[in-house]
Amino acid sequence: MNGGPVFSLASLLLLAVTEAATADLVAFLPRADSAISHERALREDPALAGLGITVVLRWRAFAEAMATSPAAIAVAPSGILLDSGWTPLRQGLRNGEDHERQSLVAIDGAVDLAGLTRRTVALVQESQREQGLAWLTGAYPDLPRDLTVRPVARPEDLLQVLGLDLAGAAVLTAAQTTAARERFPGSLKVLAHSRPLRLMVVACRAPGTAARAQILDRLGQPALEALGLTGFAPFTGPAVPWP
Amino acid sequence: MPSTARRDHVPTGGIWTWLKAALLPWLAVWAGAAEPAREILVVRPDLPPFAEVAAALGRELGPRYRLSELLVGAEGGRTRIGELRPAVVVALDNQGLAESRAVAPGLPVLAAMGLGLRQESRNGGGVDYEVAPFTVLTRFQGNVAAPLGRVLAPCWADAKEDLELAAHQLSRAGISLEPVVLAKDGDPPTNTAAALARWLLTVEKSGAHAVLVPADNRLVNLRTLPDWRAAARRLKIPLLTTTEALVDRNLGLCAFAATPDPEGIAAQLAAQVQAVVEDGRPPAALGFEPPVTVRVVLDRMLLRRLGLGVREP
């Protein structure tokens, strides 16, 4: 039997699968609880009609999605900008603010900021592992440099590593800090507040894709809510996570 | 990367220029200017759950690492491994750990997905297979709308120390975990079963909010299963576990389980591999840590019968 037609068909199928797998917009939402519902909210927005949209919750999945679709624009936490390969295009806003402060917390009463020397600090992985310490010491300038960063895949893992004594402290958002106070009543201690940290940013890697970011200015409220934002503004200032 | 570098040096004339453009990037790799992939050896049984974790480990580590696998008992495997120079050996399952000692003596070993690995892996590190009580109970608290002030944990005498550590961790979360020692080494199985049966009859009046069923086949086995099932039918509180098979509608035993997530185990192992290879930390310094990311299994019907609602995300 001649394998030519079979091979051609297989190639077409492979091409179709590859086409389907590429994305025009990759949203990395580490604080979301479901990729499916957030992806649906974005797909249903008229401004994004016809675009390939991928929502991922973990850094590893984000890195893989961007490797598959290098020309996609990304909506992601600003920590990705520590990697010099990114060009920031838009700044996410929440109720008019373009930044937030995060808290460094511990549940061991004996731990203080200076006492974190040679200890482990946990944070949700939002950039390459190697950039974890740079992000942390940039966000908290008073932290000792001699510490280990433990990236975790999901926000709920932060409370687990704290509770299991796998980390001396963890970086939490305001909402996570409230949840942590409920989880550890009377034990949670805020060691420091971060410098102002940029909210989500829109960025791209491949040249020539920047123009696509303009469609995000037309997003409706449900899609913006899915991204945890209320709007976008032009990106200004230094391309690091803190303004 | 050599291929990228080749594209940057498009030859413009003559065979010598072309050869330089083609060979220089490879020479640079050889000279150490570009970083070669780090070699990691995974020793594992040829079974799906271990293959799943090995594949996820490869994804977690990314292209800077190259994973080779040795399947336990594979013919000629040991000979092939002799050619590799792995920076770290990742041993999955107790069989994988035993095999790794034979094929790669003296190399740093990280172990996971086995029982009693802490004891078996001398000076080693890795990830425990059993989910910690802290994780089971706090995840239950997060998923089920139920009070969880006091939890009883029947155990063998040798598990008491670990449960006391867990009790300390849980105390910060406002949960009181009380180990109940029912048997010790040397006790005949019939005595153990009788002690367990007697104790289960007292649980109802203890005022506890839940019972943590141990992942210990000395206390949960075919001999004791009828007593556990009778208690589950009688009690108005949930039985919680780390064993997925015990949350089974036909069995009617446990209402909730938190079991290790293969991708989570891979992520923890990847972080440990990076700590050994990139930070130069020995596995013993990392030690064994319990799984952080878990899969939750619920018996909604059983929870409803107990009057407990499930929190939807």
Side-chain angles (χ1 to χ4, degrees):
Chain A
M1 185 185 157
N2 187 347
V6 177
F7 179 75
S8 302
L9 187 63
S11 302
L12 278 173
L13 279 172
L14 186 64
L15 199 64
V17 168
T18 313
E19 280 290 308
T22 58
D24 300 304
L25 175 72
V26 176
F28 171 30
L29 309 176
R31 294 175 202 168
D33 48 22
S34 154
I36 295 169
S37 62
H38 288 70
E39 202 166 280
R40 193 184 305 128
L42 291 171
R43 281 185 201 285
E44 287 172 358
D45 192 289
L48 302 178
L51 291 186
I53 296 166
T54 299
V55 172
V56 294
L57 307 184
R58 299 178 182 220
W59 163 256
R60 176 56 52 202
F62 175 63
E64 283 173 12
M66 289 308 297
T68 315
S69 309
I73 54 171
V75 185
S78 56
I80 64 160
L81 299 178
L82 285 170
D83 177 349
S84 58
W86 291 96
T87 304
L89 306 170
R90 290 282 188 283
Q91 172 63 61
L93 302 173
R94 195 182 300 140
N95 303 321
E97 295 282 345
D98 63 0
H99 67 272
E100 65 178 347
R101 287 182 190 269
Q102 299 184 4
S103 301
L104 186 68
V105 307
I107 56 169
D108 180 350
V111 170
D112 58 14
L113 213 53
L116 285 174
T117 303
R118 288 194 290 278
R119 304 240 358 216
T120 300
V121 175
L123 45 81
V124 175
Q125 187 173 16
E126 296 179 350
S127 61
Q128 301 272 9
R129 177 183 184 264
E130 301 75 45
Q131 280 140 9
L133 187 60
W135 185 93
L136 192 65
T137 51
Y140 299 91
D142 296 334
L143 258 184
R145 270 33 178 186
D146 184 12
L147 48 78
T148 304
V149 174
R150 183 190 177 109
V152 301
R154 298 286 303 137
E156 57 266 27
D157 293 345
L158 289 173
L159 301 191
Q160 289 296 323
V161 295
L162 273 181
L164 292 166
D165 297 318
L166 299 176
V171 176
L172 304 182
T173 62
Q176 289 164 354
T177 306
T178 305
R181 280 191 205 287
E182 286 175 19
R183 170 65 55 83
F184 303 108
S187 300
L188 194 85
K189 189 165 88 168
V190 175
L191 302 177
H193 294 288
S194 73
R195 294 169 63 175
L197 302 168
R198 286 184 182 279
L199 295 174
M200 304 277 282
V201 293
V202 181
C204 69
R205 269 188 186 280
T209 53
R212 271 192 204 163
Q214 289 172 4
I215 54 170
L216 293 171
D217 295 336
R218 302 197 300 272
L219 283 188
Q221 197 181 343
L224 284 169
E225 270 176 22
L227 298 173
L229 300 170
T230 54
F232 287 101
F235 189 96
T236 55
V240 290
W242 31 89
Chain B
M1 295 289 283
S3 56
T4 310
R6 272 207 304 278
R7 279 199 296 277
D8 290 344
H9 294 86
V10 178
T12 50
I15 185 71
W16 178 237
T17 314
W18 185 88
L19 273 174
K20 270 200 299 185
L23 294 177
L24 273 176
W26 295 103
L27 284 170
V29 171
W30 177 76
E35 198 180 13
R38 279 100 168 212
E39 197 76 51
I40 306 297
L41 173 64
V42 179
V43 186
R44 65 170 178 88
D46 188 10
L47 290 167
F50 305 107
E52 191 182 348
V53 168
L57 178 63
R59 288 194 299 274
E60 284 289 336
L61 287 170
R64 290 188 303 140
Y65 288 81
R66 188 166 54 219
L67 252 71
S68 302
E69 292 189 69
L70 171 63
L71 303 181
V72 173
E75 198 175 332
R78 294 183 184 193
T79 315
R80 288 198 303 277
I81 293 307
E83 299 159 8
L84 298 172
R85 304 220 185 286
V88 178
V89 178
V90 175
L92 303 182
D93 188 56
N94 301 71
Q95 288 183 54
L97 182 58
E99 185 89 351
S100 70
R101 287 213 187 93
V103 297
L107 285 176
V109 176
L110 295 166
M113 301 180 80
L115 298 172
L117 290 175
R118 277 172 200 262
Q119 292 76 32
E120 205 175 310
S121 171
R122 296 176 293 277
N123 292 324
V127 183
D128 287 329
Y129 205 30
E130 196 180 337
V131 176
F134 176 87
T135 305
V136 180
L137 300 186
T138 54
R139 290 305 299 265
F140 176 77
Q141 211 172 31
N143 283 270
V144 180
L148 205 57
R150 186 161 170 253
V151 180
L152 302 178
C155 66
W156 203 265
D158 56 15
K160 191 172 180 231
E161 203 173 313
D162 285 346
L163 284 170
E164 282 170 348
L165 172 65
H168 165 69
Q169 292 169 342
L170 282 159
S171 67
R172 296 181 302 210
I175 299 171
S176 167
L177 181 74
E178 297 175 19
V180 182
V181 177
L182 293 175
K184 60 183 187 307
D185 279 350
D187 287 353
T190 45
N191 289 12
T192 304
L196 177 70
R198 278 196 305 276
W199 176 75
L200 285 170
L201 289 171
T202 67
V203 172
E204 201 159 9
K205 291 178 183 164
S206 67
H209 296 111
V211 171
L212 184 62
V213 178
D216 186 337
N217 61 12
R218 296 170 299 184
L219 288 172
V220 183
N221 51 47
L222 287 177
R223 188 192 295 269
T224 62
L225 204 54
D227 291 317
W228 281 110
R229 292 182 69 184
R233 280 194 296 272
R234 191 177 61 245
L235 292 171
K236 304 282 188 293
I237 58 173
L239 305 187
L240 317 177
T241 179
T242 59
T243 310
E244 188 172 350
L246 295 181
V247 183
D248 183 314
R249 195 163 291 171
N250 297 321
L251 200 60
L253 189 63
C254 292
F256 178 95
T259 65
D261 172 61
E263 292 222 4
I265 291 177
Q268 284 180 261
L269 280 171
Q272 291 181 326
V273 165
Q274 287 167 329
V276 172
V277 176
E278 295 172 31
D279 306 339
R281 300 180 69 191
L286 304 172
F288 276 88
E289 54 184 53
V292 170
T293 310
V294 290
R295 286 177 177 173
V296 162
V297 188
L298 298 158
D299 184 337
R300 287 169 187 268
M301 201 180 282
L302 187 49
L303 286 168
R304 209 176 300 129
R305 187 173 67 71
L306 295 169
L308 304 174
V310 176
R311 291 183 217 267
E312 300 299 343

